[in-house]
């Protein structure tokens, strides 16, 4: 496994840029610029070393779409790289400006444009929790969200994410219908505004901001249920897995989260100590309140329910979903930086066999943490296991051993789109589309490594 070389930095005429920007707010303070230039790349000990010096030259804070257009026009004229950034909750440098230049902070472009039953139109910099709070009074919520819901933005989720809380019911963002439309700005001397609808919107999904700057999104919504957070403890990980599988397959039970986690990972959940008995693996779930009895009937005689309470998202509370998805890793990293993680997708046609094989193969070194999801209409598991890190060579060997046994790996220890992709290359439609919207290759250089600027 080879490590990638970052693109070379060049000097840029920032005075000329600011003259073209006019009254658009900018940040010049080097300390603030450096802080805004970082995400959670340090989850990976490899990226922590590779990207530690990455910083933009200037931060530009557009107030609306017209500011975005003016900024990218100026950058195109001056050939200055542009990296769009929002909440900065990514884990592998998706929105870190590898080539310097302009960091385009989208977090002031917020608000719901319109909402109607089943869908919502929203500005890209809108916080996901704020969005859900805005639409919930009308009886709806987003279908899915990352575990970083309280700090992430909707634009960042689409540009860098793949799924999350809710994917057990609706699949990932790539499933048809999970992104209804995206409005983007191209990076040219005369920028265009494009509306990408349905399948065309996938050209900006998980492209790390390399295929246009998202300014608005149209997203599907689902009925807003009163959610109950539940933890059930089991004597073994295999029992927790099988219980989770049965809940995931229960189509009549409305759920948002089905997460088996092996001991000793729960030992790191200090705020949940009473709900995580010593030595027990756990199943973490979010169940719609009317179906809690049905959920309990499925698990009758299996495990011990240790926690059940309405889901809370107030500033003083920690919702249970912040112990799932990649927050599971964060809970451990809060007190011990010696571990890291992987991102896996298990084959649905031999799910239990594969999960148990890998758990046994790496016992004590790769600690199982699964997320039940729908993938192409069938239930399987994504996984974000905790890895006891030793060396890059061993980490890449673990990745190879998973892939040889049919477990797909989205490598979170490389910053390029291709290296982290399960397909090991940029999607053909995204690669071709980039030539249309970013012919000079100024958007987030270094992330789509197979792209060659057309002019």
């Amino acid at each position: 496994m080879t490590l990638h070389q970052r693109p070379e930095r060049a000097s840029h005429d920032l005075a000329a840029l600011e003259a073209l920007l006019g009254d658009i707010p900018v940040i010049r303070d080097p300390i603030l610029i450096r802080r805004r230039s970082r995400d959670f790349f340090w989850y990976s000990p490899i990226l922590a070393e590779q990207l530690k010096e990455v910083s933009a030259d200037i931060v530009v804070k557009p107030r609306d779409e017209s500011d975005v257009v003016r900024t990218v026009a100026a950058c195109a004229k001056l050939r200055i790289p542009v990296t769009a950034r929002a909440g900065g909750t990514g884990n592998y440098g998706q929105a870190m400006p590898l080539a310097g230049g302009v960091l385009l902070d989208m977090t002031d472009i917020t608000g719901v444009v319109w909402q109607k039953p089943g869908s919502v139109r929203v500005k890209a910099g809108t916080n996901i929790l704020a969005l859900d709070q805005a639409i919930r009074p009308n009886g709806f919520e987003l279908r899915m969200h990352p575990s970083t819901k309280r700090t992430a933005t909707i634009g960042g989720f689409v540009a860098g994410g793949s799924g999350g809380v809710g994917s057990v019911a609706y699949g990932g963002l790539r499933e048809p219908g999970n992104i209804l439309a995206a409005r983007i700005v191209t990076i040219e001397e005369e920028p265009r505004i494009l509306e990408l609808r349905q399948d065309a919107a996938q050209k900006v999904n998980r492209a790390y901001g390399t295929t246009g700057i998202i300014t608005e999104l149209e997203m599907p919504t689902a009925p807003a249920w009163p959610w109950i957070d539940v933890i059930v403890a089991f004597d073994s990980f295999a029992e927790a897995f099988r219980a989770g599988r049965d809940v995931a397959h229960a189509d009549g039970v409305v759920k948002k989260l089905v997460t088996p986690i092996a001991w000793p990972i729960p030992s790191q959940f200090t705020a949940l100590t009473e709900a995580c008995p010593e030595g027990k693996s756990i199943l973490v779930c979010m169940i719609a309140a009317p179906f809690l009895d049905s959920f309990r009937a499925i698990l009758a005689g299996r495990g011990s329910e240790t926690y059940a309470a309405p889901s809370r998202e107030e500033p003083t509370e920690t919702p249970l979903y912040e112990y799932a998805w990649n927050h599971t890793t964060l809970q451990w990293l809060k007190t011990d930086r010696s571990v890291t993680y992987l991102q896996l997708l298990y084959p649905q046609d031999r799910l239990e066999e594969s999960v148990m094989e890998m758990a046994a193969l790496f016992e004590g070194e790769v600690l199982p943490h699964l997320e039940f999801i729908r993938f192409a209409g069938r239930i399987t598991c994504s996984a974000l296991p905790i890895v006891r890190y030793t060396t890059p060579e061993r980490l890449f060997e673990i990745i190879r051993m998973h892939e040889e046994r049919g477990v797909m790996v989205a490598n979170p220890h490389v910053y390029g789109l291709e290296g982290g992709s399960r397909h090991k290359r940029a999607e053909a439609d995204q690669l071709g589309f980039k030539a249309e919207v970013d012919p000079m290759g100024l958007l987030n250089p270094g992330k789509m490594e197979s792209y060659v600027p057309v002019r």
Side-chain angles (χ1 to χ4, degrees), residues 90-139:
N91 301 119
Y92 25 90
Q94 296 105 309
M96 292 179 66
L98 302 181
V102 167
L103 189 71
L104 194 67
D105 186 333
M106 300 290 287
T107 53
D108 288 338
I109 303 179
T110 65
V112 173
V113 179
W114 53 254
Q115 58 176 307
K116 52 188 167 184
S119 62
V120 61
R121 182 87 175 193
V122 60
K123 295 180 182 179
T126 304
N127 171 265
I128 297 176
L129 176 59
L131 172 56
D132 255 359
Q133 290 174 334
I135 62 178
R136 182 170 275 272
N138 288 335

Side-chain angles (χ1 to χ4, degrees), residues 39-51:
D39 66 6
F40 286 81
F41 69 102
W42 50 265
Y43 273 39
S44 164
I46 294 171
L47 296 186
E49 180 62 27
Q50 286 186 320
L51 304 183

